[in-house]
Amino acid sequence: MQYFSFPSSLAKITIFLIFSFVFASSANDTHEAFLECLTTRIPSNSTFTPQSIIYTPDNPSYSTILDSTTQNPRFLSSSTRNPFAIITPLHASHIQAALYCSQKHGEQMRIRSGGHDYEGLSYQSSVPFFILDLRNLSSISIDAKSKSAWVQAGATIGELYYGIAKTSLNLSFPGGVAHTIGVGGQLGGGGYGYSTRKYGLASDNVIDAQLIDARGRILDRKTMGEDLFWAIRGGGAGSFGIVLAWKIRLVNTPSTVTIFEAVRSWENNTTKKFIRRYQRRASKTDKDLTIFVGFRTTSSTDEEGNERISILTIVSATFHGSKDRLLQLVQKEFPDLGLVSEECTEMSWVRSIIHFNLFGDEVPLEVLLNRTLNFEMKAFKLRSDYVQKPIPDDVLEKLLSKLYDEETGEGYIEFFPYGGKMSKISESEIPFPYRAGNLYNLRYMVSWKDDGNITRTNMHLSWIKDAYDYMTPYVSKDPRGAYLNFRDLDIGVNVNESDYDYVAKASVWGTKYFRNNFYRLVDIKTIVDPTNFFKYEQSIPPLPPLHSAM
Ligand SMILES: Cc1cc2nc3c(=O)[nH]c(=O)nc-3n(C[C@H](O)[C@H](O)[C@H](O)COP(=O)(O)OP(=O)(O)OC[C@H]3O[C@@H](n4cnc5c(N)ncnc54)[C@H](O)[C@@H]3O)c2cc1C
Ligand SMILES: *[C@@H]1O[C@H](CO)[C@@H](O)[C@H](O)[C@H]1NC(C)=O
Ligand SMILES: *[C@@H]1O[C@H](CO)[C@@H](O)[C@H](O)[C@H]1NC(C)=O
Ligand SMILES: *[C@@H]1O[C@H](CO)[C@@H](O)[C@H](O)[C@H]1NC(C)=O
Ligand SMILES: *[C@@H]1O[C@H](CO)[C@@H](O)[C@H](O)[C@H]1NC(C)=O
Ligand SMILES: *[C@@H]1O[C@H](CO)[C@@H](O)[C@H](O)[C@H]1NC(C)=O
Ligand SMILES: *[C@@H]1O[C@H](CO)[C@@H](O)[C@H](O)[C@H]1NC(C)=O
Ligand SMILES: *[C@@H]1O[C@H](CO)[C@@H](O)[C@H](O)[C@H]1NC(C)=O
Ligand SMILES: *[C@@H]1O[C@H](CO)[C@@H](O)[C@H](O)[C@H]1NC(C)=O
Ligand SMILES: *[C@@H]1O[C@H](CO)[C@@H](O)[C@H](O)[C@H]1NC(C)=O
């Protein structure tokens, strides 16, 4: 156990002092005092000075550091409120110092691991703030014998996959697809990929963690207790503390998997028959098979040279088994897909990840260590829904026809199947509640080249709102579900902490992500962070303190 001296009995007095301090001085003075506190609390030595991990706007590397993991260009630094400082700790004690000084000076902290938050919550805010950027805490240690690994929060999922593959091609981890995703954010919010139907979410496979809590203590599963350990696996760890590292369970994987990518035309009636069957069977079929389906418009030129816009149906899959078995299974389950052997490729599991990250099949495994995506991300907005009853044909037709209202290729609809292991795990096992009864996760996405034209941005945003609103009757209800790792501020945000119904207002967005698990998260938050130090636009609120009778 490591503590810094901040007895909770003094907390109230300290908070009072913080407020008087804020009133008595300008924000800039407070920032300066915070930074001075940091340089005092973090010891220098012969090879290290605290200044080397503090980036303020006058540091020439500030913008590079700020933007380097910004995955949604909508929130690049020029168009967004910027942090007054970025801290890149090399050691847990640096995080403890940042926590101590931010509490002392009333500064808001945003925690960033991989920076993939869809709404940019790890690196932007409407209030003055600094970023605690964990990029340099990224070590990974793998134990093939016990099939487990410790991975620090600032590692990417690609670095983890690489480390596992180097140890054994018969082991893997059921996380997300994009290799640049941070382990810190992803495992705190779920984590879904091509192996989830077989093994559950990334968060389902966390078996221990190291967390720094609001009092600056470094806790593990045993010392934090099962309630807090439950909360940080899917409830958004950043409401409860700073995850230093996760211990994860590695899963058995055949040395060869089979992938396919089949592109079909939506105008072909056979494709529509496939989708009708897909909606009913993709979540019921063999858990070795995960088939994603995406729809977007494309432009082509006919014989007369006229441009024609049509909708593509992009079907991609990973099967934990051989090509022969896959072809047999798909022929039986989804005959209308018309899958042919030439569309399928056998490869190692780690190669399948490289493939779906749009690298060639010949590149070295080390591409997974590169922290930049191999394609350009445009500004985007994404929303998600849970589908529990197949969408009627005419409704799906209408939804997809909305793709024509966007510029070619910029609107996107995707189906991501559930079932398999996901249906075997109870709704309250971890905070993530969407288990048995969910056929697939439906995503709406719009992306655009952001040139700062607000009118155009608003047109794109209203496209996605229109699609989302149109689907209201056909998706999960009471509450309408959403997936935390697909952060969406349009389902609601925290407003005013002093409002008597702060928690009730937060339950509007909170029950969409967590259903009834939201209330258990509130209870845990109330115990572990009663003064709401870890707060942001969608952090779990604590219950207000009980007032003593006057
Ligand atoms: C290109 C792309 C592809 C994606 N693909 C998938 C996918 O296949 N499957 C899937 O499930 N999701 C996917 N996602 C979503 C992704 O899982 C989430 O955005 C995830 O939260 C990102 O984690 P991060 O560490 O990169 O993000 P960050 O932006 O750093 O963090 C996300 C949230 O977690 C908090 N946080 C980060 N680190 C810590 C920590 N150490 N302790 C406490 N709180 C912390 C942050 O403050 C923030 O609120 C994708 C996102 C992108 C941009
Ligand atoms: C405070 O203001 C001064 C002068 O405007 C500026 O040089 C300095 O960078 C500011 N400090 C912070 C932490 O914002
Ligand atoms: C100096 O401090 C840094 C950061 O805390 C640490 O990583 C390093 O090991 C220290 N070096 C020595 C020689 O103590
Ligand atoms: C911190 O991480 C960055 C980016 O990953 C890297 O360039 C830098 O060398 C690292 N710094 C230290 C001190 O490890
Ligand atoms: C790896 O899995 C394959 C089956 O895909 C099996 O034949 C092989 O023995 C396994 N290797 C090890 C080291 O477990
Ligand atoms: C496709 O199905 C529609 C509706 O069932 C029908 O009107 C149309 O003729 C079919 N097209 C082809 C090419 O079979
Ligand atoms: C429709 O799709 C099926 C299955 O992929 C294919 O066999 C058939 O040739 C397609 N028809 C047309 C007209 O493209
Ligand atoms: C990392 O990937 C990006 C995007 O593909 C590429 O531009 C860059 O050269 C790569 N860096 C290294 C060191 O390979
Ligand atoms: C912004 O976009 C709108 C809609 O496309 C367009 O009408 C307008 O001219 C654009 N404004 C500028 C300054 O380019
Ligand atoms: C927050 O709510 C309190 C109590 O209702 C009110 O006094 C205060 O002005 C509100 N603050 C803001 C920023 O709206």
Side-chain angles (χ1 to χ4, degrees), residues 297-303 305-312 408:
T297 51
T298 186
S299 122
S300 57
T301 321
D302 65 19
E303 292 92 64
N306 301 314
E307 195 194 10
R308 190 174 163 275
I309 312 288
S310 60
I311 296 173
L312 287 182
T408 309

Side-chain angles (χ1 to χ4, degrees), residues 252-425:
N252 293 324
T253 308
S255 40
T256 303
V257 303
T258 308
I259 66 162
F260 69 79
E261 275 170 305
V263 180
R264 302 288 183 258
S265 163
W266 177 244
E267 278 79 21
N268 183 330
N269 282 349
T270 314
T271 307
K272 297 182 198 221
K273 267 177 83 186
F274 161 66
I275 292 297
R276 200 170 302 139
R277 176 90 180 158
Y278 176 93
Q279 290 206 67
R280 286 154 182 85
R281 291 297 306 170
S283 62
K284 310 269 185 322
T285 190
D286 193 322
K287 63 186 186 316
D288 281 338
L289 177 62
T290 298
I291 308 180
F292 284 64
V293 177
F295 302 92
R296 66 175 168 78
T297 51
T298 186
S299 122
S300 57
T301 321
D302 65 19
E303 292 92 64
E304 280 107 60
N306 301 314
E307 195 194 10
R308 190 174 163 275
I309 312 288
S310 60
I311 296 173
L312 287 182
T313 305
I314 304 147
V315 187
S316 47
T318 297
F319 178 66
H320 286 246
S322 69
K323 189 198 253 192
D324 290 348
R325 243 183 82 214
L326 170 68
L327 282 164
Q328 270 175 30
L329 178 63
V330 171
Q331 182 51 41
K332 182 173 127 253
E333 282 280 23
F334 305 106
D336 301 313
L337 178 58
L339 186 70
V340 294
S341 174
E342 293 69 45
E343 289 171 315
C344 308
T345 317
E346 291 184 338
M347 57 179 73
S348 65
W349 180 84
V350 70
R351 284 275 161 204
S352 75
I353 293 291
I354 290 176
H355 181 91
F356 287 121
N357 276 291
L358 308 185
F359 291 108
D361 293 337
E362 307 300 327
V363 298
L365 292 190
E366 280 70 23
V367 293
L368 291 173
L369 306 178
N370 188 328
R371 288 182 167 228
T372 309
L373 284 169
N374 197 30
F375 49 92
E376 196 193 346
M377 289 290 284
K378 291 197 226 164
F380 70 90
K381 168 80 190 179
L382 190 148
R383 310 194 71 177
S384 66
D385 261 318
Y386 284 97
V387 175
Q388 296 167 338
K389 287 192 308 248
I391 300 172
D393 292 353
D394 57 327
V395 173
L396 182 58
E397 203 68 63
K398 186 98 187 282
L399 172 66
L400 295 183
S401 72
K402 289 178 187 293
L403 291 169
Y404 290 116
D405 300 341
E406 263 296 327
E407 281 157 56
T408 309
E410 301 203 331
Y412 181 67
I413 304 284
E414 187 178 73
F415 298 168
F416 209 144
Y418 275 43
K421 174 82 177 184
M422 290 292 275
S423 298
K424 300 270 182 322
I425 298 175

Side-chain angles (χ1 to χ4, degrees), residues 42-49 90-91 93-94:
I42 301 175
S44 320
N45 62 32
S46 56
T47 58
F48 172 83
T49 63
L90 304 176
H91 190 268
S93 64
H94 303 168

Side-chain angles (χ1 to χ4, degrees), residues 4 6 34 38 93-105 107 109 130 132 212-217 241-242 533-534:
F4 60 68
F6 190 40
F34 165 79
L38 266 187
S93 64
H94 303 168
I95 300 177
Q96 290 171 308
L99 189 75
Y100 171 84
C101 296
S102 64
Q103 290 176 345
K104 185 161 180 222
H105 295 287
E107 293 288 16
M109 168 162 70
F130 71 93
L132 185 74
I212 300 192
D213 75 355
R215 290 161 65 188
R217 299 177 298 183
I242 300 150
F533 171 71
F534 292 109

Side-chain angles (χ1 to χ4, degrees), residues 108-310:
Q108 292 241 350
M109 168 162 70
R110 293 292 177 271
I111 310 163
R112 178 164 76 176
S113 288
H116 285 59
D117 194 290
Y118 286 159
E119 299 276 16
L121 296 194
S122 57
Y123 54 89
Q124 65 152 1
S125 167
S126 54
V127 298
F129 70 109
F130 71 93
I131 298 177
L132 185 74
D133 186 316
L134 302 177
R135 68 180 64 214
N136 289 118
L137 292 168
S138 60
S139 67
I140 297 171
S141 91
I142 291 164
D143 182 5
K145 219 161 126 237
S146 68
K147 291 192 203 158
S148 66
W150 272 103
V151 49
Q152 282 189 309
T156 63
I157 203 100
E159 290 165 354
L160 175 63
Y161 294 159
Y162 174 84
I164 298 170
K166 281 286 175 185
T167 309
S168 165
L169 289 176
N170 280 55
L171 291 174
S172 71
F173 181 70
V177 183
H179 66 102
T180 53
I181 302 172
V183 159
Q186 169 139 105
L187 277 60
Y192 192 102
Y194 280 109
S195 305
T196 302
R197 295 194 67 246
K198 188 161 185 186
Y199 297 112
L201 299 166
S203 296
D204 291 324
N205 290 283
V206 170
I207 50 181
D208 202 341
Q210 271 192 334
L211 179 85
I212 300 192
D213 75 355
R215 290 161 65 188
R217 299 177 298 183
I218 301 180
L219 305 173
D220 64 8
R221 178 173 186 167
K222 210 158 141 229
T223 51
M224 79 178 79
E226 288 302 306
D227 276 338
L228 182 50
F229 184 61
W230 175 84
I232 61 174
R233 288 172 296 154
S239 293
F240 303 92
I242 300 150
V243 174
L244 276 175
W246 302 105
K247 185 180 187 185
I248 56 171
R249 181 190 301 124
L250 304 179
V251 300
N252 293 324
T253 308
S255 40
T256 303
V257 303
T258 308
I259 66 162
F260 69 79
E261 275 170 305
V263 180
R264 302 288 183 258
S265 163
W266 177 244
E267 278 79 21
N268 183 330
N269 282 349
T270 314
T271 307
K272 297 182 198 221
K273 267 177 83 186
F274 161 66
I275 292 297
R276 200 170 302 139
R277 176 90 180 158
Y278 176 93
Q279 290 206 67
R280 286 154 182 85
R281 291 297 306 170
S283 62
K284 310 269 185 322
T285 190
D286 193 322
K287 63 186 186 316
D288 281 338
L289 177 62
T290 298
I291 308 180
F292 284 64
V293 177
F295 302 92
R296 66 175 168 78
T297 51
T298 186
S299 122
S300 57
T301 321
D302 65 19
E303 292 92 64
E304 280 107 60
N306 301 314
E307 195 194 10
R308 190 174 163 275
I309 312 288
S310 60

